[in-house]
Amino acid sequence: SEVEPYEVDQVQIHLGERYDVLVKFNVDEPTNVWMRGASTAVTNPAAVVLTTLQLRPDSSYDFVEGPATTSPNPDPVLLNCNYYGEQEKCVSVTALTTKDYEFDHRPLLDDDKIDIHTADFFFTLPPNYGYFFALDGKTYIQNALPHKPMAFPDFDQAKDGNPHSNVMDLDLEKSVIIVFRSGAGIAHPLHVHGHKFEVLEEISRPKPNCFGKGLCDLPDLDTGFSAPVSELAKRKKRGVLKDVIIVPAFGAAVVRFNTDNPGVWFVHCHFDEHVDSGQGFIINEGDWRAKSIPSDFPSCDYTGRLQGMTGAQCKCNPDKLNPEWLCSKDYMCMHVKDKAPDH
């Protein structure tokens, strides 16, 4: 979507995100300036990438030699940052507005056409390292993909499905709200395949410095946002369109899209290590099946052939995690004596 210009000093870009940025300079003579890229990662917060821009008013000037001498802005306005409300100049992506400000034709905003879903994720510390999603209040599952793609025409849930595949079934021709709520202590970039969604709202953790299980409650759908989610869902104002959204640490994001693209779509964190550790789920939109599959169609593993499930699936260790949760990695199933680890 086309977005109205919004002036800031810095933009935080997480894995998989894209922004169009126009940098304006007003120079009367040649000069060199720094372009800085600073890491906000907890693993390497001091990392800085520097590149020099050589500026000149027009081609009649020669470039100036030597290093840049500019300094960073000590008090920048930062777009797309992690802790809205806690940092004075921290601006949510919801501050952006689209040029097509309202929908002209949106019958899907009728009450009987709106479905609201929750997708809550949680992180467990080593040695029980893993990520879990709970969909619509159900049990937390460390996601594992089925050994045969769900889009295959002959896919049979009873035979080919995996009880540890986290699946959100969506009907067609609906306006769908997904509320992503974080129980993890860092920001996560969540990518929804198959759709561009509107960002209706993002919120930070409910109180500063609440890190750890039970210290930050998941926000309530009626009281945890600027308005009840049921009201946000019917908002006519169009939100900026994205396919990757930062969910702040212990925060939440409310997104909206129409179920007008039948298919099997993956939703996952863009940290490879996290998605491999279970941070993802499948949107089954319209229970779609392909009419045919090419003979060389690749599988969901790295071999190019369809394989049976190789990881262990179990109820999580009751001594370490909630026994109702489902663990999908073999190292999480060591307590199950009849299932030996595969590696």
Side-chain angles (χ1 to χ4, degrees):
S1 60
E2 292 191 45
V3 177
E4 296 286 358
Y6 194 97
E7 186 171 338
V8 296
D9 300 305
Q10 298 177 5
V11 179
Q12 178 167 297
I13 302 177
H14 219 312
L15 297 173
E17 289 194 294
R18 290 88 66 202
Y19 282 87
D20 293 325
V21 178
L22 175 63
V23 182
K24 293 183 178 180
F25 297 97
N26 184 17
V27 296
D28 297 322
E29 59 185 26
T31 185
N32 290 342
V33 300
W34 288 120
M35 289 288 285
R36 291 175 172 83
S39 171
T40 60
V42 294
T43 53
N44 193 10
V48 176
V49 177
L50 295 175
T51 186
T52 303
L53 288 182
Q54 295 183 314
L55 306 177
R56 51 182 179 167
D58 58 59
S59 59
S60 66
Y61 291 83
D62 293 329
F63 286 115
V64 65
E65 296 182 358
T69 58
T70 54
S71 300
N73 187 332
D75 190 25
V77 176
L78 176 61
L79 176 69
N80 199 38
C81 44
N82 288 341
Y83 297 121
Y84 321 114
E86 295 181 36
Q87 297 165 298
E88 182 179 357
K89 296 186 176 181
C90 178
V91 180
S92 168
V93 68
T94 55
L96 302 176
T97 59
T98 61
K99 292 183 178 180
D100 187 4
Y101 200 65
E102 291 192 1
F103 293 102
D104 294 326
H105 303 286
R106 186 79 180 215
L108 300 186
L109 291 183
D110 295 340
D111 287 341
D112 62 345
K113 292 287 188 179
I114 299 175
D115 285 345
I116 298 175
H117 298 269
T118 57
D120 307 329
F121 58 90
F122 184 78
F123 162 65
T124 65
L125 294 172
N128 299 294
Y129 177 78
Y131 275 92
F132 297 78
F133 256 112
L135 304 181
D136 295 324
K138 300 175 184 177
T139 191
Y140 279 88
I141 298 176
Q142 187 180 31
N143 185 66
L145 296 176
H147 76 279
K148 177 183 285 189
M150 293 177 62
F152 270 40
D154 60 345
F155 179 83
D156 184 317
Q157 178 64 37
K159 181 178 65 175
D160 304 316
N162 184 338
H164 288 214
S165 292
N166 224 348
V167 181
M168 179 182 290
D169 293 314
L170 299 180
D171 294 330
L172 293 177
E173 303 306 323
K174 294 274 191 176
S175 280
V176 168
I177 301 293
I178 298 181
V179 184
F180 294 106
R181 299 186 294 187
S182 172
I186 63 173
H188 289 266
L190 297 185
H191 182 192
V192 178
H193 288 249
H195 286 280
K196 294 286 194 298
F197 52 74
E198 301 170 73
V199 183
L200 299 184
E201 186 155 330
E202 286 181 296
I203 61 171
S204 181
R205 51 192 172 178
K207 53 187 177 181
N209 302 318
C210 59
F211 288 97
K213 185 177 180 182
L215 299 180
C216 274
D217 296 328
L218 295 176
D220 184 82
L221 298 188
D222 291 325
T223 61
F225 300 87
S226 63
V229 172
S230 58
E231 294 183 12
L232 291 174
K234 293 182 285 187
R235 194 183 75 183
K236 290 185 176 181
K237 187 180 77 171
R238 175 175 294 186
V240 66
L241 295 179
K242 292 173 64 65
D243 59 12
V244 179
I245 184 70
I246 294 180
V247 180
F250 297 109
V254 183
V255 305
R256 176 174 67 186
F257 60 90
N258 285 354
T259 52
D260 53 7
N261 191 19
V264 180
W265 307 114
F266 197 32
V267 181
H268 62 94
C269 179
H270 244 297
F271 283 106
D272 288 344
E273 182 181 15
H274 296 178
V275 67
D276 187 58
S277 299
Q279 194 177 11
F281 63 91
I282 301 165
I283 289 178
N284 180 26
E285 186 171 341
D287 201 25
W288 182 83
R289 297 286 187 274
K291 293 181 179 179
S292 62
I293 298 295
S295 59
D296 60 349
F297 187 82
S299 71
C300 295
D301 58 25
Y302 299 106
T303 66
R305 298 180 180 179
L306 291 174
Q307 301 291 321
M309 296 176 288
T310 57
Q313 284 84 40
C314 61
K315 288 291 186 76
C316 296
N317 191 336
D319 295 330
K320 303 294 182 181
L321 298 172
N322 188 319
E324 297 303 316
W325 294 10
L326 299 181
C327 290
S328 304
K329 297 294 181 179
D330 52 12
Y331 56 82
M332 300 284 278
C333 297
M334 295 293 290
H335 61 288
V336 182
K337 295 181 180 180
D338 61 346
K339 293 193 177 192
D342 294 310
H343 56 75

